[in-house]
Amino acid sequence: AKLWGGRFQKPVTDIVERFTESVSYDKQLYKHDILGSIAHATMLAKQGLISESDRDSIIEGLREIEKRIENGEFHWRADREDVHMNIEAALTDLIGEPAKKLHTARSRNDQTVTDMRLWCRDAIDKIVASMRQLQVSLLRLALNNQDVIVPGYTHLQRAQPVLLQHLLLAYVEEIERDAGRMIDCRARMNFSSLGACALAGTGLPIDRFMTSDALGFTAPMRNSIDAVSGRDHLLELLSANAITAVHLSRLGEEWVLWASEEFGFITPSDSVSTGSSIMPQKKNPDPMELVRGKSGRVIGGLVTLLTVCKGLPHAYNRDLQEDKEPVFDSVRTILGMLEVSAEFALNITFNRERIQKSLPAGFLDATTLADYLVNKGVPFRTSHEIAGKSVALCTSKNCQLLDLSLDELRSINPVFDNDVYEFLGVENSIKKFVSYGSTGSACVAEQLDYWIKKLEIK
Amino acid sequence: AKLWGGRFQKPVTDIVERFTESVSYDKQLYKHDILGSIAHATMLAKQGLISESDRDSIIEGLREIEKRIENGEFHWRADREDVHMNIEAALTDLIGEPAKKLHTARSRNDQTVTDMRLWCRDAIDKIVASMRQLQVSLLRLALNNQDVIVPGYTHLQRAQPVLLQHLLLAYVEEIERDAGRMIDCRARMNFSSLGACALAGTGLPIDRFMTSDALGFTAPMRNSIDAVSGRDHLLELLSANAITAVHLSRLGEEWVLWASEEFGFITPSDSVSTGSSIMPQKKNPDPMELVRGKSGRVIGGLVTLLTVCKGLPHAYNRDLQEDKEPVFDSVRTILGMLEVSAEFALNITFNRERIQKSLPAGFLDATTLADYLVNKGVPFRTSHEIAGKSVALCTSKNCQLLDLSLDELRSINPVFDNDVYEFLGVENSIKKFVSYGSTGSACVAEQLDYWIKKLEIK
Amino acid sequence: AKLWGGRFQKPVTDIVERFTESVSYDKQLYKHDILGSIAHATMLAKQGLISESDRDSIIEGLREIEKRIENGEFHWRADREDVHMNIEAALTDLIGEPAKKLHTARSRNDQTVTDMRLWCRDAIDKIVASMRQLQVSLLRLALNNQDVIVPGYTHLQRAQPVLLQHLLLAYVEEIERDAGRMIDCRARMNFSSLGACALAGTGLPIDRFMTSDALGFTAPMRNSIDAVSGRDHLLELLSANAITAVHLSRLGEEWVLWASEEFGFITPSDSVSTGSSIMPQKKNPDPMELVRGKSGRVIGGLVTLLTVCKGLPHAYNRDLQEDKEPVFDSVRTILGMLEVSAEFALNITFNRERIQKSLPAGFLDATTLADYLVNKGVPFRTSHEIAGKSVALCTSKNCQLLDLSLDELRSINPVFDNDVYEFLGVENSIKKFVSYGSTGSACVAEQLDYWIKKLEIK
Amino acid sequence: AKLWGGRFQKPVTDIVERFTESVSYDKQLYKHDILGSIAHATMLAKQGLISESDRDSIIEGLREIEKRIENGEFHWRADREDVHMNIEAALTDLIGEPAKKLHTARSRNDQTVTDMRLWCRDAIDKIVASMRQLQVSLLRLALNNQDVIVPGYTHLQRAQPVLLQHLLLAYVEEIERDAGRMIDCRARMNFSSLGACALAGTGLPIDRFMTSDALGFTAPMRNSIDAVSGRDHLLELLSANAITAVHLSRLGEEWVLWASEEFGFITPSDSVSTGSSIMPQKKNPDPMELVRGKSGRVIGGLVTLLTVCKGLPHAYNRDLQEDKEPVFDSVRTILGMLEVSAEFALNITFNRERIQKSLPAGFLDATTLADYLVNKGVPFRTSHEIAGKSVALCTSKNCQLLDLSLDELRSINPVFDNDVYEFLGVENSIKKFVSYGSTGSACVAEQLDYWIKKLEIK
């Protein structure tokens, strides 16, 4: 019989039991549930609501249950609905009467929120650690590939030359903000709902500050109705994951492009590639395709919980049971995406020669040419037009800008002089960049130093 | 070693293997995968691509594997990546050489699409059957609750009286369109991708019409690239599920409202209710709250796959491996939602007396009063205003429309006559409805007959 | 004063008026609103509910209003809330008393649904026409590019050679299913809600079949509550748009890739390209980037309305006012995406020579080599391995498969014979394809014929 | 001709121009665009890149253009694409040559990001102000409704009594976290992209710190590629809006429920209610229905931009033009939702008498009864069961807990004593709550004080 069955005369039907149970997935909260129960029991004893010996029995029993769960010896039962009731009922089986006092001044409504907050706090710590690892991998990749110039793209058209290191640091910057969102989310989430009970608090003399401290929370939540109703802490985590997933999908796209025959910038090692069941020559960058693709489910998970919460009246509604699976899946997925991206970064080789050979295509130095003209006093718009015409001339002659003779350049505009050739060609072009945050060598070196220190790379 | 490992010198790392494997969830395709393989092997033999004895070995081996899977004796291996490779490799372990011929003129790219089409076809059949069952439950509920008048709402404000049967039939109509979408989706999906191979078809003389027929498809798909690239058949199914889920969420909301103390229209039986871990008096309509809430994940699943597919070049990309879990979850969820809604419908009692008592509130007969005035030749806008003023008078006197004396009514407008009292009061009001599809008794009876015949209720 | 203001004593505040008005966007329903009102007035007169002269005044007045709207001479007023009330109030201003009879046996609840169904019906017709136009453009592009072989990709890695026509027809197939979904949606949507009134129908003797016929609907909806509550017809349209948008995003991605320096398969003409404000050499395929990007808002629009509808009780709720903007935006966007894709298709040149030169890379013939071995009686898995090793040999020698000598091939497996060279090289490889739907020339020619007839290309 | 047209020989087609233009919506960035241009020009002069007189002409010209825009005298042209090009071209028309120097060391890529960051910063400030206003309105509502007890709900079933003030403060808490997210988002967003140029920075000697300071940014962004590629600052804002929208949708749902005939807890004033076009008696809480419904578009807007950004390679892609409309719409919507919620809060009356009368229903004191038993030393699980049986007895007798005689109670369990009646009944029950954050009077008073101080209410 259910522990809440006092007023009920019939058990729920099988269909309902199967549809409403959550233990099949919320059992992964067991560690945090037990942690919360130990803190709660300790407080109940301190407040004189249960005896010290009851407390000891409870704690010992819970530790035994934890051990059994970890040894795979615990029998999870769907008819006991959820992780909370499974553990409480098992505790009753194990230690008898004292177990019946554990749920004093507590409801599953505050308990489940407490468990999830504890679980998410741990999850965020793992995510941030994985972000740091990816940043370190990217930085190492940068340090191993000094002086490689790659085409910078806008609209996937060749735009200007950039140092490979500069691009890799752009990813590092993105992840830094992603980590910042995680840290903000953690701080806002780290409050205790325990003791809010069903929704109204309790008339029993509990000490919510004590359990809050014991569980490492900043403070108890100020309003018991809010404590059991709110799920914005989960929505914020799912949002932060979704934004991170979008960043990683961009990295995935880029590396998939670079591994293509057509780009040919990188060669992933066999250890991060997979083959085809039918095409013998194939070597595919599957991990990064999946990183790109798995962004879908992280976004989907956010939409799931936003939709679940939309339009619910206060306080707790059973709909909110649906808060767990999207969070579990989102966290597991984002951790995998981060980890495999770091792994991939450590297993690619840049094809320097091939990249080098490809640089002349695409007029990557055209903007530098326009800057040259600005230096000569030509207004930028006019410079842009002159450079544009120079490109058009190259296109008709099928040559590069540095192949144009001074006469040809002067036929477009007389302002050109011999020093123009110091601005043409990718190597010359990249030397010219000087602005803060630009792809100039000194600027990039400064950024590298910043990140080496920040990430404590040795 | 992987079956595609010919050109590879290093195995994938553990992290990559764990991240890229799909067997942990696509193993549930085993039945359809084996079905497809049997059809394929039969065709290969017919076309002389393999011998009859090879075919027989293959088919026998596949049946043995199917049996083992169903008996829980099959060892699924993550290093064998997916359901396809697990079964093919196990077949090789079992029957040796002939197994190596099964993948002739086939790729996992066309195979996985075939499996999913077969799986979804079955899923749709189950969904439509569950929809019929819900329609039948609603209809039975209607048949058991003749002559019950309930308030009809707009803006959750009492609007006009309606027959309960009329409202229940509105749900039946919604589900009918939902079923229509499923059936259209099935028809559009029921084409065979088998034989499209990796993306380009094959040079081996296969017969795609033969496998298409054997598997119950309408025809082979016309274009091999399309066959392995497209996922719109899954997106359409997920969309149809999402729309159905929205309908069920509305039913869920409504029944949750009706089960509240404040509405008090229905009493769910104990067998579809659950209690509280802390509040002894609680009896909650959890199944319908979860029906409402689970709409979130069905919508999230659709968003997941739309996002996955967005911006992918042709043909197959590994991102598409992410097509399975949202489909599996969406189908499982929608089946549960339909099933539990039907179960709930069969386990509620309408509190006729309480409903009856509540009907006087809310001026449900005000529009009938306006219609009365229209019958008297008053333009509708003026009728609306007169009726509005009558309501305002009632509000100030705290009475109902039928409590107003003829003098009072005439003080608002002299057009009122004694026959107005035949239009006032909920019972009178509902008798007046005559338009096709309206809540008039005859109209509703006609609709009931229509559905009794269509759903073959006895 | 509001037309419904009989029982109200205070006007709404400015903030509320601004927040709740819809006329700023639903005014674009004016044509369908007037169409519906004319049908309604005609029916009211036929049924004797208004006089013939009232009917004539109403119709004449509505036509005058329509003219004024189209001439930009109509003053839309936010205090009149929506398109319906603006037109009705303007009609009253124009023709006086008869206008007050127009809303007899009608509510905005059924009226707005009728308007939207009419509007969407027209929208679907336009969308399907634009789809046909895109298919025709793609087919013309195919007809203008006979015999071009391009690399077929999976995982964005070169897979097997395909005819360009084959790939272009893959897009045509996708759009064909997209059109099918539109047509199914139209058929399911094409029922009349008019006469459902607020939610319960009416006591006045209207003829819903007459208005349904007059407006070209299949039949009146069977249930008045369903008629005003349901929005699944809009959700279905938004879903169909979203799936189409995903297809177009894939086309966009592909053409953006092909226009890159690295692929270099196509050159878009200047007339469909844009430049950079800073980089003089840039020529960007912006229209297709936007086609890819605008898939986001079409998906977002679907999510919007799914979320709006989630959890709403019956019948009409004001939330449903939010059904219009996502539909208007989605339709406008998808029409633009289709139109510009067709325009782009007509303005690209395939760089045959560059494509041709690139074909040797990527071992596109490796699977044909495996098929060769199957023909020789080698089991496919073994063939795959042998071909894989041949590729590995080429990689180490930096050559193509057809550069391997017979001795080298035989060193891998003695089964090779001189006829192997008829299977190597992209041109040979593509000649071998024979399966239905494959990229073999005859197969593709057959498909071209099918589409030429179906799309009535001359 | 386009300002970037140097290398182009044909203008874009009308279809492409219409599809790619953004000025129709990004013109609302004009103020921030001009602000940025003035800062940029000032810096260019300081660095000697333009003359002081050029700078003065530019600034004067820009101010003139701003004035014209605000006076509605500016002619926005679609052929000039976007707000940036419209203003630059108009400046050229106005002041000639100096205008051609404004775009020195700047690209639209960094410019548009700068504009949006400035715009969003202002938007966030407005949103936070509106949040404060809503909090203040809720607090005032609380202060005006001392001592009102309402039923607290879980599962929309009556759970325990709560002070109305307690529930209103729960909303205040939610909005407080919403505001916190806005503030974090603002801090993370407030960095300058100006000077990142196209993607690589520039070779011209600009001072990015100077423009950053002038525009009130914390610092220039560290990496130019990141500066033009990233959109996570917008995604974070859209996420924060979406979470806020979900909170407001819950408030909307609750107030719609409370305004229903069945709950009857509140009466919205006429000034925030609307009527029906057909039903004369209707008075609907439309603003809060729309608040609930508009959550859909805010969520949809987030999905839009997440989808747009998914899978884009670095750096800028034209897809990113689609970042503006969802942000503009989301901000406008959330501001409206906040504003109208505050307005509604100030225009509702609590129907104290009706609420009071309804309190006996639902056994709101059952948990207090269980607490009573805990105080008597009964383990909670047993207390729960005893209280559950007491409720069952009441149900069978159709009475309340306080109607049970001591004998009846003792027939369930002998532990009951006369003091039990001090715990029964809603008024007694609520007096018992003592835990921090609970609904006990003292606890709520403490929270009220906290908020009065924090929000500086007088």
mmCIF file of all heavy atoms in Angstrom, chain D residues 210-221:
data_model
loop_
_atom_site.group_PDB
_atom_site.id
_atom_site.type_symbol
_atom_site.label_atom_id
_atom_site.label_comp_id
_atom_site.label_asym_id
_atom_site.label_seq_id
_atom_site.Cartn_x
_atom_site.Cartn_y
_atom_site.Cartn_z
ATOM 1 N N MET D 210 39.043 53.663 -26.273
ATOM 2 C CA MET D 210 38.400 54.977 -26.277
ATOM 3 C C MET D 210 36.917 54.877 -26.661
ATOM 4 O O MET D 210 36.050 55.440 -25.997
ATOM 5 C CB MET D 210 39.147 55.898 -27.248
ATOM 6 C CG MET D 210 38.578 57.302 -27.275
ATOM 7 S SD MET D 210 39.535 58.370 -28.433
ATOM 8 C CE MET D 210 38.400 59.765 -28.536
ATOM 9 N N THR D 211 36.647 54.170 -27.738
ATOM 10 C CA THR D 211 35.230 54.031 -28.119
ATOM 11 C C THR D 211 34.460 53.219 -27.086
ATOM 12 O O THR D 211 33.300 53.493 -26.797
ATOM 13 C CB THR D 211 35.079 53.383 -29.514
ATOM 14 O OG1 THR D 211 35.937 52.235 -29.613
ATOM 15 C CG2 THR D 211 35.456 54.356 -30.617
ATOM 16 N N SER D 212 35.078 52.215 -26.545
ATOM 17 C CA SER D 212 34.423 51.411 -25.511
ATOM 18 C C SER D 212 33.996 52.295 -24.332
ATOM 19 O O SER D 212 32.848 52.241 -23.870
ATOM 20 C CB SER D 212 35.372 50.306 -25.049
ATOM 21 O OG SER D 212 34.859 49.643 -23.919
ATOM 22 N N ASP D 213 34.934 53.122 -23.869
ATOM 23 C CA ASP D 213 34.623 54.046 -22.770
ATOM 24 C C ASP D 213 33.504 55.009 -23.152
ATOM 25 O O ASP D 213 32.565 55.241 -22.384
ATOM 26 C CB ASP D 213 35.861 54.883 -22.411
ATOM 27 C CG ASP D 213 36.807 54.092 -21.515
ATOM 28 O OD1 ASP D 213 36.445 52.963 -21.118
ATOM 29 O OD2 ASP D 213 37.915 54.595 -21.250
ATOM 30 N N ALA D 214 33.647 55.597 -24.325
ATOM 31 C CA ALA D 214 32.687 56.611 -24.756
ATOM 32 C C ALA D 214 31.267 56.054 -24.781
ATOM 33 O O ALA D 214 30.300 56.774 -24.552
ATOM 34 C CB ALA D 214 33.078 57.152 -26.127
ATOM 35 N N LEU D 215 31.160 54.779 -25.095
ATOM 36 C CA LEU D 215 29.833 54.164 -25.215
ATOM 37 C C LEU D 215 29.392 53.475 -23.921
ATOM 38 O O LEU D 215 28.352 52.822 -23.877
ATOM 39 C CB LEU D 215 29.816 53.178 -26.392
ATOM 40 C CG LEU D 215 30.028 53.846 -27.764
ATOM 41 C CD1 LEU D 215 30.276 52.797 -28.845
ATOM 42 C CD2 LEU D 215 28.829 54.719 -28.141
ATOM 43 N N GLY D 216 30.195 53.632 -22.880
ATOM 44 C CA GLY D 216 29.780 53.086 -21.593
ATOM 45 C C GLY D 216 29.978 51.588 -21.458
ATOM 46 O O GLY D 216 29.375 50.957 -20.586
ATOM 47 N N PHE D 217 30.792 51.013 -22.324
ATOM 48 C CA PHE D 217 31.069 49.586 -22.186
ATOM 49 C C PHE D 217 32.148 49.368 -21.131
ATOM 50 O O PHE D 217 32.961 50.262 -20.856
ATOM 51 C CB PHE D 217 31.556 49.008 -23.528
ATOM 52 C CG PHE D 217 30.487 48.873 -24.561
ATOM 53 C CD1 PHE D 217 30.544 49.592 -25.762
ATOM 54 C CD2 PHE D 217 29.401 48.012 -24.361
ATOM 55 C CE1 PHE D 217 29.565 49.460 -26.730
ATOM 56 C CE2 PHE D 217 28.414 47.882 -25.338
ATOM 57 C CZ PHE D 217 28.491 48.606 -26.517
ATOM 58 N N THR D 218 32.184 48.186 -20.584
ATOM 59 C CA THR D 218 33.185 47.822 -19.584
ATOM 60 C C THR D 218 34.583 47.785 -20.196
ATOM 61 O O THR D 218 35.552 48.267 -19.596
ATOM 62 C CB THR D 218 32.852 46.441 -18.988
ATOM 63 O OG1 THR D 218 31.523 46.482 -18.474
ATOM 64 C CG2 THR D 218 33.830 46.043 -17.898
ATOM 65 N N ALA D 219 34.681 47.216 -21.378
ATOM 66 C CA ALA D 219 35.973 47.091 -22.059
ATOM 67 C C ALA D 219 35.707 46.617 -23.476
ATOM 68 O O ALA D 219 34.615 46.129 -23.774
ATOM 69 C CB ALA D 219 36.867 46.084 -21.339
ATOM 70 N N PRO D 220 36.706 46.766 -24.356
ATOM 71 C CA PRO D 220 36.547 46.151 -25.681
ATOM 72 C C PRO D 220 36.656 44.632 -25.565
ATOM 73 O O PRO D 220 37.361 44.125 -24.690
ATOM 74 C CB PRO D 220 37.722 46.712 -26.490
ATOM 75 C CG PRO D 220 38.692 47.235 -25.499
ATOM 76 C CD PRO D 220 37.960 47.529 -24.231
ATOM 77 N N MET D 221 35.964 43.928 -26.439
ATOM 78 C CA MET D 221 36.073 42.464 -26.458
ATOM 79 C C MET D 221 37.491 42.080 -26.861
ATOM 80 O O MET D 221 38.117 42.733 -27.677
ATOM 81 C CB MET D 221 35.045 41.876 -27.415
ATOM 82 C CG MET D 221 33.617 42.077 -26.906
ATOM 83 S SD MET D 221 32.376 41.346 -28.021
ATOM 84 C CE MET D 221 32.606 39.598 -27.671
#
